[in-house]
Coordinates of all heavy atoms in Angstrom, one line a residue:
R1 N -81.5 121.0 -68.8 CA -81.5 122.4 -68.5 C -80.6 122.7 -67.3 O -79.9 123.7 -67.2 CB -82.9 122.9 -68.2 CG -83.8 123.1 -69.4 CD -85.2 123.5 -69.1 NE -85.8 122.5 -68.3 CZ -87.1 122.6 -67.8 NH1 -87.8 123.7 -68.1 NH2 -87.6 121.6 -67.2
N2 N -80.6 121.8 -66.3 CA -79.8 121.9 -65.1 C -79.1 120.6 -64.8 O -79.6 119.6 -65.1 CB -80.7 122.3 -63.9 CG -81.5 123.5 -64.1 OD1 -81.0 124.6 -64.3 ND2 -82.9 123.4 -64.0
Q3 N -77.8 120.8 -64.4 CA -77.1 119.6 -64.0 C -77.6 119.0 -62.8 O -78.0 119.7 -61.8 CB -75.6 120.0 -63.8 CG -74.7 118.8 -63.6 CD -73.2 119.2 -63.6 OE1 -72.9 120.4 -63.9 NE2 -72.3 118.3 -63.4
R4 N -77.7 117.7 -62.7 CA -78.1 117.0 -61.5 C -77.1 117.0 -60.5 O -75.9 117.3 -60.7 CB -78.6 115.5 -61.9 CG -79.7 115.5 -62.9 CD -80.3 114.1 -63.0 NE -81.1 113.8 -61.7 CZ -82.4 113.5 -61.7 NH1 -83.1 113.4 -62.8 NH2 -83.0 113.2 -60.6
K5 N -77.5 116.6 -59.2 CA -76.5 116.5 -58.1 C -75.4 115.5 -58.4 O -75.7 114.5 -59.1 CB -77.3 116.2 -56.8 CG -78.3 117.2 -56.4 CD -79.1 116.7 -55.2 CE -80.1 117.7 -54.8 NZ -80.9 117.2 -53.6
K6 N -74.3 115.8 -57.9 CA -73.1 114.9 -58.1 C -73.4 113.5 -57.6 O -73.0 112.5 -58.3 CB -71.9 115.4 -57.3 CG -71.3 116.7 -57.9 CD -70.8 116.6 -59.3 CE -70.2 117.9 -59.9 NZ -69.8 117.7 -61.3
E7 N -74.1 113.3 -56.5 CA -74.4 111.9 -56.0 C -75.3 111.2 -57.0 O -75.3 110.0 -57.1 CB -74.9 112.0 -54.6 CG -76.2 112.8 -54.4 CD -75.8 114.3 -53.9 OE1 -74.7 114.8 -54.3 OE2 -76.6 114.8 -53.2
E8 N -76.3 112.0 -57.6 CA -77.2 111.4 -58.6 C -76.4 110.9 -59.8 O -76.6 109.9 -60.4 CB -78.3 112.3 -59.0 CG -79.2 112.6 -57.8 CD -80.2 113.7 -58.1 OE1 -79.9 114.6 -59.0 OE2 -81.3 113.7 -57.5
E9 N -75.5 111.8 -60.3 CA -74.6 111.4 -61.4 C -73.8 110.2 -61.1 O -73.7 109.3 -61.9 CB -73.7 112.6 -61.8 CG -74.4 113.8 -62.4 CD -73.4 114.9 -62.7 OE1 -72.3 115.0 -62.1 OE2 -73.8 115.8 -63.5
S10 N -73.2 110.2 -60.0 CA -72.3 109.1 -59.6 C -73.1 107.7 -59.5 O -72.5 106.7 -59.8 CB -71.6 109.4 -58.2 OG -70.8 110.5 -58.3
A11 N -74.3 107.8 -59.0 CA -75.1 106.6 -58.8 C -75.3 105.8 -60.2 O -75.4 104.6 -60.2 CB -76.5 106.9 -58.2
V12 N -75.4 106.5 -61.3 CA -75.6 105.9 -62.6 C -74.4 106.1 -63.5 O -74.4 105.6 -64.6 CB -76.9 106.4 -63.3 CG1 -78.1 106.0 -62.5 CG2 -76.8 107.9 -63.5
G13 N -73.3 106.8 -63.0 CA -72.2 107.0 -63.8 C -72.4 107.9 -65.0 O -71.8 107.8 -66.1
A14 N -73.3 108.9 -64.8 CA -73.6 109.8 -65.9 C -72.7 111.1 -65.9 O -72.3 111.6 -64.9 CB -75.1 110.3 -65.7
I15 N -72.4 111.5 -67.2 CA -71.6 112.7 -67.4 C -72.4 113.8 -68.0 O -73.1 113.5 -69.0 CB -70.4 112.3 -68.3 CG1 -69.5 111.2 -67.6 CG2 -69.5 113.6 -68.5 CD1 -68.5 110.7 -68.5
Y16 N -72.4 115.0 -67.5 CA -73.2 116.1 -67.9 C -72.5 116.8 -69.1 O -71.3 117.0 -69.2 CB -73.3 117.1 -66.8 CG -74.2 118.3 -67.2 CD1 -75.5 118.2 -67.6 CD2 -73.6 119.6 -67.1 CE1 -76.2 119.3 -67.9 CE2 -74.4 120.7 -67.4 CZ -75.7 120.6 -67.8 OH -76.4 121.7 -68.1
C17 N -73.3 117.0 -70.2 CA -72.9 117.7 -71.4 C -73.7 119.0 -71.4 O -74.9 119.0 -71.6 CB -73.2 117.0 -72.6 SG -72.2 115.5 -72.9
K18 N -73.0 120.1 -71.1 CA -73.7 121.4 -71.1 C -74.3 121.8 -72.5 O -75.4 122.4 -72.6 CB -72.7 122.5 -70.7 CG -73.4 123.9 -70.4 CD -72.4 124.9 -69.8 CE -73.1 126.2 -69.5 NZ -72.2 127.2 -68.9
K19 N -73.6 121.4 -73.5 CA -74.0 121.6 -74.9 C -74.5 120.3 -75.5 O -73.9 119.3 -75.5 CB -72.9 122.2 -75.8 CG -72.4 123.5 -75.3 CD -71.2 124.0 -76.2 CE -70.8 125.4 -75.8 NZ -69.6 125.9 -76.7
I20 N -75.7 120.4 -76.1 CA -76.3 119.2 -76.7 C -75.4 118.7 -77.9 O -75.4 117.5 -78.2 CB -77.8 119.5 -77.2 CG1 -78.5 118.2 -77.6 CG2 -77.8 120.5 -78.4 CD1 -79.9 118.4 -77.9
D21 N -74.7 119.6 -78.6 CA -73.9 119.2 -79.7 C -72.8 118.2 -79.3 O -72.6 117.3 -80.0 CB -73.2 120.5 -80.3 CG -74.2 121.4 -81.0 OD1 -75.4 121.1 -80.9 OD2 -73.7 122.3 -81.7
D22 N -72.3 118.4 -78.1 CA -71.2 117.5 -77.6 C -71.8 116.1 -77.4 O -71.2 115.1 -77.7 CB -70.6 118.0 -76.3 CG -69.9 119.3 -76.5 OD1 -69.4 119.6 -77.6 OD2 -69.8 120.0 -75.5
L23 N -73.0 116.0 -76.9 CA -73.7 114.8 -76.7 C -74.0 114.1 -78.0 O -73.8 112.9 -78.1 CB -75.0 115.0 -75.9 CG -75.9 113.7 -75.5 CD1 -76.5 113.9 -74.2 CD2 -76.9 113.5 -76.6
L24 N -74.5 114.8 -78.9 CA -74.9 114.2 -80.2 C -73.7 113.7 -80.9 O -73.7 112.6 -81.6 CB -75.5 115.3 -81.1 CG -76.9 115.9 -80.7 CD1 -77.3 117.0 -81.5 CD2 -77.9 114.8 -80.7
Q25 N -72.5 114.3 -80.8 CA -71.3 113.9 -81.5 C -70.7 112.6 -80.9 O -70.1 111.8 -81.6 CB -70.3 115.0 -81.6 CG -70.7 116.2 -82.5 CD -69.8 117.4 -82.3 OE1 -69.3 117.6 -81.2 NE2 -69.7 118.2 -83.3
Q26 N -70.9 112.4 -79.6 CA -70.2 111.3 -78.9 C -71.1 110.1 -78.8 O -70.5 109.0 -78.5 CB -69.8 111.8 -77.5 CG -68.8 112.9 -77.6 CD -68.4 113.4 -76.1 OE1 -67.9 112.6 -75.3 NE2 -68.7 114.6 -75.8
S27 N -72.4 110.2 -78.9 CA -73.3 109.1 -78.5 C -73.5 108.1 -79.7 O -73.7 108.5 -80.8 CB -74.6 109.7 -78.1 OG -74.5 110.5 -77.0

């Protein structure tokens, strides 16, 4: 629902997908 803080993303190398469809297609 909300994007996590940049430092939290960087710590695990996570990329935010605003749309679930994008995640489903790439995973």
